[in-house]
Amino acid sequence: MMALLQAVTVPQPSALDPHGPAAAREATLWWVMLAIATVIFILVLYLLLRPLFRRPVDGDTTPGEAMPPDVQRRWLVWGGAVMPAAVLFVLFLFTLTTLAAVRMPARAGDLTIEVIGHRWWWEVRYPGRGVVTADELHIPVGRPVRIRLSSDDVIHSFWVPQLAGKTDLIPGQGNDTWIQASQAGTYYGKCGEYCGRQHAHMAFVVVAQAPGEFDQWLAREALGAQAAGDSGAVVGQKVFRDRGCAFCHAVRGTPYHGDVGPDLTHIASRRLLAGGSFDNTRGMLAGWIANPDVMKPGTLMPAVEMPADELQALVDYLQTLK
Amino acid sequence: MSTIEAGPGVEERLRTNWEPPETLYFQLASVDHKKIGKRYLITAFLFLLVGGVEALLMRMQLSRPENTLLTPEQYDQLFTMHGVTMIFWYAAPILSGFGNYLVPLFIGSRDMAFPRLNAFSYWTFLLSGIVLYTGALIGMAPDGGWFAYTPLTGPAFSPGLNLDFYAISLLFLTISTTAGAINFIVTIFKMRCPGMSMSRMPLALWSTLTMSFAVVFGMPPLTAALVFLELERRWNFHFFDPLSGSPLLWQHLFWIFGHPWVYIVILPATGLVSMMLPTFCRRPIVGHTYIVLATIATGMAGFGVWVHHMFATGIPVLSTTFFSAASLTVSIPSGIQIFGWLATIWHAKRHVWRTPFYFIVGFIVLFVIGGFSGVMTAAIPADWQETDTYFVVAHIHYVLIGINLFPVMAAFYYWLPKMTGRMLDERLGRWNFWVMFTGMNIAFFPMHVVGMLGMTRRIYTYPAHLGWTWLNQVETVGGFIFAAGVLIFVANYFISRKNGVRAGPNPWQASSLEWSVSSPPPAWNFSVIPAVASREPLWDGTDLLAGGGGDGRVLSHEKKTLGTTVLDAVPDSVLHMPEDTLYPLGLSVALTVLFYGLVFKSVPVFAVGLLATFAAIVGWLWPKPGELPE
Amino acid sequence: MSIDAAAVFPHEPLPDRLKGARATGWWGMVWLICTEAMLFASYFASWIFLSETIRAFGEEGGRYPPLGLPSLMTVLLASSSIAAWWGEKGIEKGDQGRLRIGLAIAWLAGAAFLVCQVIEYGHKSLGPDSGAYHSLFYTITTTHGVHLAVGLLMGAVVQVRAWLGHFTRERHLAVQNTVLYLHFVDGVWMVIFLLVYVSPHFWRR
Ligand code: HEA
Ligand code: HEA
Ligand code: CUA
Ligand SMILES: [Cu+2]
């Protein structure tokens, strides 16, 4: 785990800086609650501090009488029960309207993305479009997109703070959620539920694109990998086969369709590697293949021993997978 | 009206009956609630220090992005052990410690209803903690988080012994907690001194009673979940595995227990506050009856909100809204309590600015902040953003430290003089408060922010470019300031033990019965069982020794105390208190062997433990020579 | 303020301990039973939850659970409870013989139940590792069996003490608590019988 600089700039994943309708409603609810909380907190502070700064009249410590019942009732019933009940009632209504507003719109069904959680990466599928990728969702701007969530192992949670709140990926149970970006851009997403050793490095990005760009991307992703052209890549492809990478990884358009690890058909065009752990640069890629467990301790990808020249050829090959 | 006097020779007889010699045997065999209470306090406090050190290590790791001080494995074990230690082996037991020491004194009795069971509860608490930490010592500490969600914690994904230490030590601990709760209920039901009818019970008894009921009814779902987990891990049963069971079953069982549990660890503390506050405001608490009702309501409503921990699991919206409404509703009883304390301070005759009062004022502030972050997570759409982030981490520390640790600190300053006979130092006390209060807010307030900025919990590191770094650094500094505050308390304790001002029976001029006896109290607590005529027996000017009853209230000839009726506390029997005995310790040790056998899958060890357990139970219950059989 | 002496403290000497439903020991047993009842309630809730969430929750091949042997077991436990109750009523009248006989019958019926349970397990073709239904079936019935065994152990100790003449009309808390516990275990079985054995005959097609 060296200092892993990340050049891919994503905006801070702040839930309070929403870029989608669901997150926006959720943020509004949050700010309203914060405002209410602040008002009541100030009220409580006033009730608490005012008497404290009122100096005691004398040093007499003999205990006083109990306060008369009507005074007791005024504080406890009006202050302690009725006031909070009224505030909470309003708050609950606001919760309900927010809930209604963030329900999945019917239009979301037009585009569905399947997201499957793995320790510790995200499998991303576009059913019916022949597209499989990892750790990166592309969506068209301004359109609600349905996300079908499931898990291959333990519970994870799908979260893109700027677009929508969390929904868990539970093995044996499908959950649905939806996201919509109101602006083109790259949004940081993260696994919310603790899922073991590398829960910290189970991130992804959502790339929101203009509809035309999105369609292009989708079309390109649907294609299989191009046959390896230059000689380095040809050698690399053999290494990929002989060193067992193909047991776990698929490269569409070739005979390799391992399904344990991420689909690598277009690995070279992805922004991040290994659950968003680091940037997809040549150096990182080589380092990862040589020593995944050093780069991401506990990862389920084994280190595969190979001579340096083979490694270089392998990376050459992977970098042709655009 | 006659006043009862402890006649000649009474003290001598009480001493021979109640005060064993200070030998090792009698230390181990002791069933004295005061000794047991102190042991609970010390042990639980040590667990706080251990859990605190674990937290500081985590804070060091998080003080820089991409830090390599800890491996992910170590970090996972640390946050799990931190949470488990704090929640189970610190927060509840520390209150059992105060309860054990104080409840018999509050009610004018000489011991708990089942003194041997009480000793057994303590030993079991201690030994179960040792079983838990055995895992840490051999590098296999639990690493599934304090709520250990399946299937991550099932056999497929956590094959090591780590989670077995979790499940088995917790199963062991539930025995202690349940036994302790039953003991509190029966003690409070049956042993209140004459005149202390239900309506005159001090508030701490109500909260202890509510807590105990919550344990009796709330603990078993956890037991069931842990039994299922072990059967699944060890014997290939299926409850939670997604292929033939349901991972959500664990979450339901755990949180049906879990939410009542968070009230279990605060209700007795709020009760202690309600007993201390009048002393510093020189007036009886405002709204006694409402606070009683609010306490009970909190305990009961706590059983109906568990799904608010599962809002993101895809449970149908209709049922989550029900639980959202319920969670908002539990705020109302808390509001009632808060306004009771505010009113008491508002209408105070004067304020006595001593350390416990500082902590109580701080507690109110923290309670409100922590309560509000709870309310903000109870609103479902907001929770989808907040859940599993540092916002929730902020919530739990404001409530747990604010409503548990701050009252506990106040209670230490208030009641330690009763236990040791010496006052704690006032100047250090104020330092203690201010350092802890500032440290607390510096450490945990920024967590609300960093959580909303997208930082999820339980991550051993984070990248630099997300803008979380400086907030994490502030938190780490705050954590260390807070720890310094805790250390000031430790120092104050040791300094004052030797040099503190002598306390005398009632240094605070307080109103409840424990202040009517010497500090520390004699082994038998009360030479004459007192009789009370109001909620503030030491303030109402009555003579505690009046009320008739003669020798029936002295009971010095054997180890005896008085039994009374449940509602009106009218004397109805003489209770024989058991002698010191090694059986409680023996039974605990036997169970420890049995549970170690389970952890390490050793049939012989398990069998030895089982036989020893059986022998200890029979030996315990068999009538002793010369004793009337029950 | 003053204390009303007469109301606070009775003039006649107090009984040395209490018997019956007011004794501390009795209260202890009551709360123990409550917490145990919650444990079984958690099991039953899990049963209902899983039967709602899992499609294939039930006996192999959609068969119904057999009712013959479990019905006999139900009768055995009911008679055990009745015998224990009869024996306890005996000692309340000071009748040592009735206590001994009642306890003995109760004990034998309980033991017969456990034998039947072992036989029933022998008839089952699938073990607890075959799926959630069987896991829960075995967990519930075995936990109940263990509770009954504990009750029988207590029964055995009380039995011995009954023969030693430890109990009198005034003093028989151990009997009382043991019998209460046995009633509880028997009651739990009734729920198990209805939920685990009988109810599938109604909710399964
Ligand atoms: C000491 C323990 C304690 C206490 C007292 C509370 C109190 C409350 N808690 Fe908290 N909670 C925890 C301990 C506690 N909690 C823990 C440990 C977790 C995390 C578990 C984990 O995931 O690790 C948790 C998590 C948690 C969640 C799940 C978050 C998530 O994981 O997504 C929720 C959601 O609803 C919640 C809600 C509440 C509410 C509504 C209260 C209420 O009881 C608060 C009521 C109090 C007030 C509101 C303040 C006083 C009232 C007034 C001044 C009156 C005026 C008020 C109003 C008008 C609102 N809590
Ligand atoms: C009562 C409960 C309690 C208390 C008091 C604390 C106290 C502290 N907690 Fe924690 N915490 C929890 C309950 C508690 N916590 C729970 C339940 C979780 C969730 C766990 C999970 O996710 O599973 C959690 C999680 C948690 C996290 C999140 C971890 C993660 O999600 O990755 C963090 C991170 O900063 C943290 C920090 C702290 C700090 C800095 C303190 C400080 O207050 C600590 C202060 C320090 C001391 C009290 C020690 C002082 C002693 C010394 C300095 C040494 C002296 C030594 C000798 C004398 C021998 N806690
Ligand atoms: Cu996946 Cu955390
Ligand atoms: Cu809760």
Side-chain angles (χ1 to χ4, degrees), chain A residues 81-119:
Chain A
V82 176
M83 182 278 286
V87 173
L88 290 168
F89 184 72
V90 173
L91 222 155
F92 184 59
L93 288 185
F94 200 57
T95 302
L96 290 183
T97 52
T98 310
L99 264 179
V102 302
R103 263 223 309 269
M104 185 175 334
R107 281 186 310 134
D110 297 349
L111 175 61
T112 299
I113 305 178
E114 272 180 25
V115 174
I116 302 159
H118 297 266
R119 287 174 309 155

Side-chain angles (χ1 to χ4, degrees), chain C residues 5-27:
Chain C
V8 166
F9 220 91
H11 286 294
E12 71 276 19
L14 292 167
D16 233 20
R17 298 180 230 203
L18 285 174
K19 56 175 185 168
R22 292 179 304 158
T24 50
W26 181 83
W27 280 110

Side-chain angles (χ1 to χ4, degrees), chain B residues 400-472:
Chain B
L400 283 163
I401 296 182
I403 324 182
N404 178 294
L405 187 52
F406 269 62
V408 161
M409 294 308 296
F412 271 130
Y413 277 91
Y414 190 72
W415 278 293
L416 264 182
K418 173 68 32 192
M419 303 178 192
T420 62
R422 301 219 184 229
M423 304 299 284
L424 287 156
D425 186 78
E426 195 55 34
R427 238 167 50 116
L428 275 175
R430 282 179 205 178
W431 274 101
N432 188 173
F433 168 75
W434 284 112
V435 173
M436 274 177 82
F437 188 76
T438 17
M440 157 87 209
N441 287 294
I442 298 175
F444 299 108
F445 199 83
M447 290 188 185
H448 295 106
V449 180
V450 81
M452 293 316 289
L453 294 183
M455 181 163 170
T456 48
R457 62 195 285 202
R458 298 171 166 185
I459 52 176
Y460 72 98
T461 192
Y462 52 90
H465 65 99
L466 295 178
W468 302 334
T469 311
W470 71 275
L471 286 163
N472 273 284

Side-chain angles (χ1 to χ4, degrees), chain A residues 1 4 6 8 10 12-16 23 26 29-30 33-34 37 40-41 43-48 50-52 54 56-67 71-73 75-77 79-81 83-85 88 91-92 95-96 98-99 102 119 153-155 159 161 164-168 170-173 175 188 190-201 297, chain B residues 66 68 72-73 76 79 143-145 147 149-152 157 242 247-248 251 282-288 290-291 312-314 317 321 324-325 328 331-332 335-336 338-340 342-343 345-351 353 357 361 364-365 368-369 372 375-376 379-389 391 451-454 456-461 463 465-468 509 539:
Chain A
M1 300 173 295
L4 305 165
Q6 274 181 313
V8 174
V10 286
Q12 186 173 53
S14 166
L16 302 178
E26 288 158 2
L29 174 64
W30 191 88
M33 288 196 294
L34 182 67
I40 297 184
F41 183 62
L43 170 75
V44 169
L45 275 190
Y46 169 75
L47 295 176
L48 180 66
R50 204 195 96 118
L52 292 183
R54 196 189 56 185
V57 251
D58 56 63
D60 176 18
T61 57
T62 49
E65 290 289 306
M67 294 306 291
V71 176
Q72 305 210 8
R73 197 173 325 117
W75 277 92
L76 280 281
V77 175
M83 182 278 286
L88 290 168
L91 222 155
F92 184 59
T95 302
L96 290 183
T98 310
L99 264 179
V102 302
R119 287 174 309 155
D153 37 49
V154 302
I155 300 178
W159 188 33
K166 296 176 201 67
T167 309
D168 291 351
I170 300 177
Q173 169 187 330
N175 276 341
Y188 183 82
K190 172 85 186 50
C191 175
E193 189 66 73
Y194 173 62
C195 49
R197 221 48 90 221
Q198 280 298 345
H199 163 63
H201 289 129
Chain B
E66 309 284 0
T68 54
E73 188 180 4
D76 293 350
F79 76 70
D143 56 359
F147 44 74
Y149 275 3
T150 54
L152 177 62
F157 303 107
L248 285 190
Q251 297 192 18
R282 312 306 302 153
R283 196 186 288 289
I285 189 110
V286 177
H288 177 100
Y290 301 100
I291 294 181
T313 55
V317 168
T321 46
S324 174
L328 296 175
S331 310
I332 295 175
I336 295 178
I338 293 268
F339 274 79
L342 288 176
I345 293 175
W346 185 279
H347 293 291
K349 199 168 160 222
R350 57 161 293 191
H351 298 121
W353 280 101
F357 191 51
V361 171
I364 293 176
V365 173
V368 175
I369 300 178
F372 275 121
V375 168
M376 291 176 78
I380 303 162
D383 182 64
W384 287 335
Q385 290 286 10
E386 295 153 346
T387 186
D388 279 317
T389 68
F391 189 88
M452 293 316 289
L453 294 183
T456 48
R457 62 195 285 202
R458 298 171 166 185
I459 52 176
Y460 72 98
T461 192
H465 65 99
L466 295 178
W468 302 334
Q509 296 174 284
W539 282 0

Side-chain angles (χ1 to χ4, degrees), chain B residues 255 258-260 262-263 302 305-306 308-309 327 395:
Chain B
W255 292 118
H259 196 90
V262 304
Y263 292 141
V305 302
W306 77 91
H308 69 207
H309 297 273
S327 309
H395 166 63

Side-chain angles (χ1 to χ4, degrees), chain B residues 216 238 244 542 571 574 576 629-630, chain C residues 1 8 15 17 35 129 135 171:
Chain B
V216 165
H238 303 276
S244 87
T542 46
V574 173
H576 290 243
E630 291 263 9
Chain C
M1 234 175 271
V8 166
R17 298 180 230 203
T35 189
D129 54 356
S135 296
R171 228 176 273 292

Side-chain angles (χ1 to χ4, degrees), chain B residues 176-200:
Chain B
S176 159
T177 314
T178 306
I182 292 177
N183 216 340
F184 280 129
I185 297 177
V186 180
T187 306
I188 295 174
F189 269 18
K190 285 299 298 174
M191 298 172 77
R192 302 194 313 277
C193 69
M196 194 183 283
S197 56
M198 283 258 161
S199 63
R200 289 183 191 150

